[in-house]
Amino acid sequence: MLIKKPIAFVIFLSVSLINVFKTCVAQNAVIKNDAKNKTITFGNSKIKFTLDYNSKANVSALEVNGQKVIDGTAGIYSEVRTPSASYSSLHTSSTPRIKATANTVTVAGISYGDKDLTINETWKFTVKDNDIKLDVDRTFSKATLAEEVSLPSFNFSNINTWEGAYQGYGGLAWFYLFNERLCTYGVHTSSSRFWNSKTGNGLKISADAPGKQVAMKYSRTNDDKLAYSITVSDKEMIPRFDSGTNRKRFIRKRTDVWFAFNIPAGKTSQSISFSYFDFNKEFGRGKFVGLNGEQVSSVLNTIARIGVIDAKHFGGNSWHTPYGPICLHEQYIAQMGLAINDNSYLQGYKECLDFYRDNAIKSDGRVWARWAYNNVDIMPGQVTDKGFYEAQWGFLLDSNPDLVTNVAELFDQTGDKAWVKTHQQSCEKALDWIIKRDSDNDGLVEMMTDSYKEKRGSDWIDIIWAAYENAFVNAKLYHALVKWTVIERELGNATKANQYENFAAKLKTSFNKSTLQGGFWDEEKKCYVHWLDKDKSVHGRNMVTPVNFMAIAYGICDNDARAKTILDDIEAQMQKENLFFWPLAMSTYAEGEGRETQYPFPSYENGDLFLSWGAVAVKAYADYKPELALKYVINVMDRHAKDGLAFQRYGREKQDGLGDDILSGNSLSVVGLYQAIYGINPLYNRFYLNPHITNQLAGTELKYNYQGQKLSIALNMKRYAVSNDRFKVISDKDFSFYGVGNQLLYFDGDNTTVSLVAETQAKSKLTFDIKTWNSNERAWTQTSTDKEAEKLTYTINQLTPSTYFNVTINGKARPRIKSNANGSFIFNHKTSSTADNVVIKKG
């Protein structure tokens, strides 16, 4: 309906539109049309649009929860740039027509272009209580080559309006890194969640175009606004740069991140949804005691995600890095998901690992080590059309076990057995390829080089010339084998499980032998060395911290005296130098063991501070002295408050941030806080809680998403609790929890077999406070919020088979019960709002 009269007043509608200045209310929808100024305002309680249709079609203002995030003559509009001209709905050939109902606004007759190309659009906004949907029908008069397309384009008021935008696959456009004008970042996603932790406001924008591909880009404008655009195309958008590779997602000093593409003549349709979310409610992590919770959240909300370059491209190096590498030889990408704790990251990483499975594994099982925007880092001739390659420094063999570890740890977090089954064959190929490199059958796999004199790298520390039997790679392999053995058993392949378990045992035995016996333990230096050359010469005797931390954290070193010596010696040197974080090596590599640029010590991989090894370090110390682990976590968070951790590493001498190759691994100390200190360990069939907290942290209460459930975790000294909306378990030691529907599974300690099953039809919340759980006695106190008693059925497992047991409740004996041949029995009870003390003893 085209409104012509200039009088402005408000009238509420019931059936039809009447008069000039109109307000339409349907539940929370409010629509006001100002025909004089040709603007219409509409929205719900959280989102409000102002649309200017005065010879244009432009959302000139957008309010989110009362905050104006867009305000100007170029707010939200359509824009197409061809090689010869630019077209925009900011300049239409006539005034669009407006029609409004109780909860819709339709803008028809949006026509813009010239004699060469005409674009016609109709916009229909549908206002609902929880979102606003924009349906767009668009017709191109003829096929055209488009250089840049924004359908639509958004211009937010300031680059700091939002701190970042989470992508549909779990990555992050972090606007802190848009540190100059015309920085542009393009990704393949159909949704973006803009957020600001200070205001708490969040805006989710989702695009849907059936049968089409959707891409998005973000730019810092010349006037320091944030420009965001959606592009819809028939085929997946290809990056414009670098010429010949066309993989670069982040560019500077320009906005045309995407390659030109053809738009066919005719009609297309798309829809865009806008919805509000409370950032602090949706991403709130609970109550932190003894730590700055805002810092913890900030690290996990930002740095931890920036290694996600695009859909299907997850790694540790950020999209901001000039050549944008992904290192497949990093075992902690899935582990970061444990603390990020966002299902979109987990689902996105599943898609990524599917892509790696299909494109990053050679036919013989070798896993390509890296991917990058361009080919500057490649070994000549060793690159695929998808961009996977062997690094110029050497064959980095840790990519094989690390791919397997990431698949296994992601399975633990999602519990998706059907998905991990699709990776069984590829992971077996990757493991079998590297296991075959044990030519002397001692359980230690060998690298591609025999000696450091060949000057080739073989692991993550890529310009240290580790050769032949490499402790760094073998430690990672042990970890992968332990993880994958569990999955092989779960998938029913006992033969493969036994094979991997046996090889891991042999590896561990050889690893722990002294260097004189062909192992990695250096009796003189009291540490595990980095590698042995084929001639049995010993190298990397300089307390290489990742090697020694992995040996302890992954359970290779089960000699407590050795572990204590390693950790104490490292801490003594840390205090001597007053370092805020652990360096890669405590002293220098010997002359010639690394590239010439690594000398004099300390320099880069020869002694600088790389935060990516924080999780294994925190794990190693948490089991021994958790107060030391916590000290370095706090140090990292303090550094984050100063500089955002937006560096590759920190120098040893000045402890200053260095390198533009920003690493998401800088978050791993905080990941270690979650996993090793708070003890949060999601597993595929249970949630395992194994805290190592200090008095400083007592009283911490965390919120955690686990396989579709929202768990609450309470941590006090020797009193830990996990609960969902139905069940709560309290214990003074580690345990596993799994509650679904009317059933609770309790696992004592680190047992993989369920210890107790409780089933009830009660609708109330049941609490089980475990008092004692050992081979002789099992005791707990149960309470319920039920006012009326409901039947409760217990199954007790892991008992002595075919044995009688006495069951007492509140001191009153029940008839003895005999366990079955599997060591289980069942008994019934009723829920009660008063505490019931249950005790089971051998009779």
Side-chain angles (χ1 to χ4, degrees):
M1 176 179 179
L2 181 61
I3 304 174
K4 299 179 179 178
K5 297 181 181 180
I7 304 171
F9 60 95
V10 179
I11 185 167
F12 292 94
L13 296 180
S14 57
V15 180
S16 61
L17 293 172
I18 54 175
N19 278 324
V20 195
F21 191 110
K22 302 181 164 99
T23 299
C24 306
V25 178
Q27 296 179 340
N28 291 326
V30 176
I31 300 174
K32 297 179 182 179
N33 186 24
D34 182 347
K36 178 181 180 181
N37 294 306
K38 291 186 170 58
T39 62
I40 186 167
T41 300
F42 54 93
N44 55 30
S45 62
K46 293 297 185 181
I47 299 174
K48 185 170 75 174
F49 289 86
T50 298
L51 188 144
D52 183 348
Y53 58 95
N54 187 8
S55 297
K56 68 186 67 166
N58 170 53
V59 174
S60 58
L62 173 62
E63 290 184 19
V64 176
N65 196 33
Q67 177 191 0
K68 190 170 285 188
V69 297
I70 288 177
D71 186 16
T73 55
I76 304 175
Y77 56 95
S78 298
E79 185 174 39
V80 176
R81 182 173 70 82
T82 70
S84 59
S86 292
Y87 307 97
S88 165
S89 67
L90 294 176
H91 306 284
T92 57
S93 57
S94 61
T95 298
R97 303 182 302 276
I98 297 293
K99 179 181 179 180
T101 68
N103 71 325
T104 66
V105 172
T106 301
V107 189
I110 303 170
S111 182
Y112 54 98
D114 56 22
K115 61 183 179 59
D116 295 321
L117 175 67
T118 301
I119 304 170
N120 293 303
E121 295 179 347
T122 299
W123 298 359
K124 181 181 179 181
F125 294 88
T126 303
V127 181
K128 301 178 183 178
D129 288 345
N130 298 317
D131 60 38
I132 297 176
K133 184 180 180 183
L134 166 61
D135 291 299
V136 179
D137 291 328
R138 181 178 296 110
T139 302
F140 279 76
S141 63
K142 68 175 186 178
T144 187
L145 177 67
E147 293 287 348
E148 286 190 271
V149 173
S150 300
L151 299 173
S153 174
F154 301 71
N155 281 285
F156 292 106
S157 299
N158 190 279
I159 189 66
N160 297 316
T161 298
W162 306 108
E163 289 178 54
Y166 292 141
Q167 309 307 301
Y169 50 80
L172 168 69
W174 188 20
F175 305 128
Y176 173 82
L177 297 182
F178 286 50
N179 52 6
E180 61 179 309
R181 292 170 178 172
L182 300 185
C183 284
T184 302
Y185 177 41
V187 293
H188 299 89
T189 186
S190 60
S191 70
S192 189
R193 290 179 291 175
F194 294 89
W195 57 271
N196 188 310
S197 64
K198 298 176 181 63
T199 65
N201 289 330
L203 174 65
K204 181 177 181 180
I205 301 177
S206 300
D208 182 38
K212 304 288 184 179
Q213 300 291 318
V214 179
M216 297 180 177
K217 73 173 182 179
Y218 311 83
S219 298
R220 181 171 182 164
T221 67
N222 274 319
D223 55 354
D224 294 321
K225 292 183 177 182
L226 171 63
Y228 158 65
S229 68
I230 298 172
T231 300
V232 176
S233 57
D234 288 337
K235 298 180 180 179
E236 182 176 285
M237 294 298 292
I238 299 172
R240 187 180 294 267
F241 305 102
D242 289 325
S243 179
T245 55
N246 304 101
R247 297 190 290 265
K248 183 173 265 187
R249 270 62 167 182
F250 181 75
I251 59 176
R252 293 181 180 275
K253 302 187 185 305
R254 55 194 308 157
T255 62
D256 54 344
V257 68
W258 301 120
F259 207 81
F261 69 103
N262 290 304
I263 300 176
K267 182 179 178 181
T268 61
S269 298
Q270 72 180 99
S271 62
I272 302 167
S273 296
F274 303 82
S275 57
Y276 171 80
F277 64 92
D278 183 324
F279 176 78
N280 294 320
K281 181 177 180 181
E282 187 150 333
F283 292 93
R285 296 178 177 275
K287 182 181 78 173
F288 291 88
V289 175
L291 291 175
N292 186 324
E294 290 184 2
Q295 289 181 356
V296 173
S297 295
S298 180
V299 170
L300 298 175
N301 290 339
T302 57
I303 284 291
R305 293 186 189 243
I306 61 170
V308 184
I309 289 177
D310 195 358
K312 303 178 184 178
H313 291 77
F314 283 49
N317 300 68
S318 80
W319 44 262
H320 185 266
T321 305
Y323 74 104
I326 291 172
C327 294
L328 277 73
H329 52 103
E330 290 177 328
Q331 79 278 31
Y332 41 66
I333 308 304
Q335 184 184 18
M336 286 192 285
L338 176 151
I340 291 172
N341 197 219
D342 179 5
N343 188 57
S344 64
Y345 181 94
L346 302 184
Q347 297 305 315
Y349 195 36
K350 282 167 64 176
E351 292 180 4
C352 170
L353 289 173
D354 290 347
F355 181 70
Y356 290 175
R357 176 198 62 207
D358 299 337
N359 296 281
I361 305 177
K362 301 180 187 181
S363 59
D364 64 355
R366 168 65 182 144
V367 178
W368 292 99
R370 292 181 178 174
W371 177 96
Y373 288 157
N374 53 43
N375 293 341
V376 300
D377 183 43
I378 71 165
M379 184 184 295
Q382 294 287 329
V383 63
T384 75
D385 61 341
K386 296 289 196 301
F388 295 101
Y389 66 94
E390 298 287 6
Q392 61 180 315
W393 310 113
F395 290 96
L396 312 179
L397 297 197
D398 40 350
S399 58
N400 272 61
D402 289 353
L403 179 66
V404 176
T405 294
N406 282 313
V407 171
E409 295 204 340
L410 187 59
F411 170 58
D412 268 337
Q413 292 174 61
T414 64
D416 190 339
K417 190 173 177 179
W419 172 79
V420 83
K421 176 69 175 175
T422 69
H423 287 263
Q424 186 175 17
Q425 184 178 5
S426 57
C427 286
E428 288 173 355
K429 281 178 62 176
L431 289 175
D432 292 348
W433 182 90
I434 195 166
I435 285 173
K436 289 175 184 176
R437 297 201 59 77
D438 176 23
S439 65
D440 55 4
N441 200 34
D442 66 349
L444 300 175
V445 299
E446 296 119 23
M447 306 301 102
M448 295 290 203
T449 51
D450 294 339
S451 168
Y452 76 97
K453 295 178 183 178
E454 297 178 51
K455 297 185 177 182
R456 308 296 286 166
S458 61
D459 62 42
W460 191 91
I461 312 177
D462 54 3
I463 53 176
I464 298 298
W465 310 136
Y468 203 61
E469 292 182 335
N470 179 339
F472 190 104
V473 173
N474 275 279
K476 286 182 161 188
L477 175 58
Y478 177 83
H479 186 53
L481 288 166
V482 170
K483 290 279 186 181
W484 195 254
T485 295
V486 175
I487 292 174
E488 287 289 354
R489 288 214 166 88
E490 184 66 22
L491 296 178
N493 193 335
T495 301
K496 274 294 185 183
N498 292 336
Q499 176 195 341
Y500 296 142
E501 185 175 56
N502 292 337
F503 192 89
K506 183 189 290 187
L507 189 161
K508 178 176 179 177
T509 297
S510 293
F511 194 107
N512 282 306
K513 289 179 180 178
S514 73
T515 53
L516 296 175
Q517 298 171 311
F520 296 124
W521 179 251
D522 190 325
E523 290 286 3
E524 179 186 353
K525 297 293 185 178
K526 300 300 181 187
C527 68
Y528 292 98
V529 301
H530 193 163
W531 78 92
L532 306 177
D533 274 356
K534 191 172 184 178
D535 64 8
K536 301 303 180 185
S537 57
V538 181
H539 301 276
R541 305 178 69 199
N542 50 327
M543 187 68 83
V544 180
T545 55
V547 168
N548 286 274
F549 287 147
M550 284 192 289
I552 296 170
Y554 294 162
I556 300 170
C557 176
D558 51 13
N559 182 317
D560 291 343
R562 276 189 188 179
K564 180 180 185 302
T565 297
I566 292 167
L567 298 174
D568 286 348
D569 286 354
I570 291 174
E571 178 59 17
Q573 186 68 20
M574 294 292 288
Q575 291 190 28
K576 182 179 179 180
E577 296 187 51
N578 193 30
L579 298 176
F580 86 92
F581 190 82
W582 301 281
L584 277 185
M586 299 310 297
S587 58
T588 186
Y589 281 95
E591 194 68 28
E593 290 183 340
R595 195 176 185 221
E596 294 82 356
T597 56
Q598 303 306 284
Y599 303 90
F601 174 86
S603 177
Y604 193 50
E605 291 181 354
N606 188 17
D608 274 353
L609 284 56
F610 283 81
L611 276 58
S612 292
W613 297 96
V616 290
V618 169
K619 168 65 174 171
Y621 275 103
D623 289 337
Y624 173 49
K625 289 185 176 181
E627 66 277 7
L628 285 179
L630 181 60
K631 179 177 82 170
Y632 291 102
V633 171
I634 293 172
N635 287 350
V636 169
M637 290 195 298
D638 288 345
R639 190 56 58 109
H640 173 265
K642 295 175 183 177
D643 61 24
L645 300 179
F647 300 97
Q648 180 200 50
R649 68 192 191 280
Y650 288 81
R652 178 78 162 261
E653 294 177 326
K654 297 180 181 179
Q655 301 192 59
D656 52 336
L658 300 172
D660 59 2
D661 190 5
I662 303 169
L663 303 183
S664 63
N666 291 345
S667 68
L668 279 161
S669 296
V670 181
V671 175
L673 166 72
Y674 260 68
Q675 187 170 31
I677 297 177
Y678 291 149
I680 292 173
N681 289 272
L683 299 175
Y684 70 95
N685 65 345
R686 64 198 186 280
F687 179 85
Y688 178 48
L689 186 66
N690 183 26
H692 296 85
I693 64 168
T694 65
N695 285 317
Q696 179 178 344
L697 303 178
T700 295
E701 297 176 359
L702 302 175
K703 300 175 182 177
Y704 197 80
N705 300 311
Y706 172 69
Q707 295 184 12
Q709 295 189 53
K710 293 188 178 297
L711 301 183
S712 297
I713 301 158
L715 302 172
N716 288 286
M717 297 305 293
K718 294 298 180 183
R719 189 164 176 82
Y720 318 125
V722 178
S723 61
N724 61 11
D725 59 354
R726 292 294 312 279
F727 301 105
K728 181 177 184 179
V729 173
I730 305 169
S731 179
D732 63 358
K733 65 184 185 72
D734 62 316
F735 67 93
S736 291
F737 172 103
Y738 189 84
V740 60
N742 296 321
Q743 189 178 75
L744 168 71
L745 278 63
Y746 163 78
F747 300 73
D748 178 54
D750 62 358
N751 276 302
T752 59
T753 302
V754 63
S755 305
L756 174 150
V757 180
E759 293 185 76
T760 180
Q761 296 301 314
K763 303 301 181 184
S764 64
K765 189 160 188 173
L766 296 172
T767 298
F768 302 89
D769 190 344
I770 308 298
K771 303 298 185 183
T772 304
W773 204 277
N774 56 48
S775 58
N776 295 317
E777 181 178 342
R778 292 158 174 80
W780 66 93
T781 297
Q782 69 169 55
T783 55
S784 168
T785 57
D786 271 333
K787 294 183 179 179
E788 296 184 6
E790 296 284 348
K791 182 180 178 181
L792 181 61
T793 300
Y794 284 113
T795 302
I796 312 299
N797 299 320
Q798 297 179 300
L799 301 165
T800 305
S802 304
T803 302
Y804 280 101
F805 289 85
N806 293 316
V807 178
T808 61
I809 299 178
N810 297 327
K812 184 177 181 180
R814 287 192 166 200
R816 289 198 309 164
I817 304 176
K818 186 179 181 181
S819 62
N820 62 24
N822 296 319
S824 301
F825 68 70
I826 298 173
F827 73 96
N828 295 320
H829 187 47
K830 288 185 179 293
T831 61
S832 173
S833 58
T834 58
D836 285 338
N837 298 308
V838 182
V839 179
I840 300 172
K841 291 183 179 181
K842 280 186 181 180

